[in-house]
Amino acid sequence: MQDAYVSVLNNPGGYAGTASVKTYLYRIVINKSIDIKRRLNRFWRLQKDFAEEIRENARQDTKEFEHTELVRAALKALRDKERIPLELVEMEGLSYHEIAEILNLSLDVVRIRIFRAREKLRTLLVKTGKFS
């Protein structure tokens, strides 16, 4: 109601005199109500979209967490001599040459261990059914 009266006061020339003042005021109140309803509908749609986005992000975070935990568990299942070179190359970004030097192994042995570790890791993760 207040918005309707403020609209009348801000636009004194808006009343044409073709209808009664009562009808004119009712029309303004109805139009203000429709505007408020539109704004509320937009607000509720935005809130619904936002809530859905939050739920989707939570689902993605949960999936990523589950995948991370599965990978960690699979890595723990590897023998140290395979897991360590794999972690050095994948997580630390070291080259095969650097790994060979650090672990005091030949370059070929490092390559073989990383290859075998990846194969075992892939097999373990495929068995979980979460990866293909």
Side-chain angles (χ1 to χ4, degrees):
M1 285 298 288
Q2 283 179 321
D3 285 345
Y5 285 123
V6 169
S7 292
V8 170
L9 292 174
N10 286 337
N11 190 12
Y15 178 61
T18 56
S20 71
V21 173
K22 182 179 174 181
T23 304
Y24 174 69
L25 290 176
Y26 270 114
R27 188 71 242 167
I28 290 173
V29 170
I30 289 169
N31 287 343
K32 289 291 179 184
S33 298
I34 290 169
D35 289 345
I36 289 170
K37 186 174 184 211
R38 282 185 192 139
R39 271 187 257 133
L40 283 174
N41 283 342
R42 265 183 274 158
F43 170 77
W44 291 117
R45 270 195 313 270
L46 285 173
Q47 188 178 29
K48 181 182 170 191
D49 292 346
F50 182 67
E52 180 58 36
E53 186 175 327
I54 288 173
R55 281 192 294 274
E56 183 61 32
N57 286 342
R59 280 192 289 270
Q60 290 294 348
D61 290 346
T62 301
K63 285 180 186 175
E64 286 178 27
F65 178 76
E66 287 173 358
H67 286 163
T68 301
E69 289 304 308
L70 287 170
V71 171
R72 279 190 186 141
L75 280 170
K76 284 181 182 178
L78 296 176
R79 295 182 311 187
D80 285 346
K81 69 180 198 175
E82 294 165 338
R83 181 183 47 78
I84 292 171
L86 180 64
E87 287 179 346
L88 290 174
V89 75
E90 295 295 338
M91 295 175 191
E92 299 299 324
L94 298 178
S95 70
Y96 285 21
H97 292 285
E98 292 170 317
I99 296 168
E101 190 175 307
I102 291 169
L103 298 178
N104 197 24
L105 298 170
S106 73
L107 187 58
D108 288 336
V109 170
V110 169
R111 285 186 181 133
I112 290 168
R113 287 185 181 179
I114 291 172
F115 175 79
R116 287 182 182 160
R118 285 180 176 151
E119 289 299 310
K120 286 181 181 179
L121 190 62
R122 184 178 296 117
T123 302
L124 291 169
L125 292 174
V126 168
K127 283 181 184 178
T128 66
K130 302 280 184 181
F131 300 89
S132 54

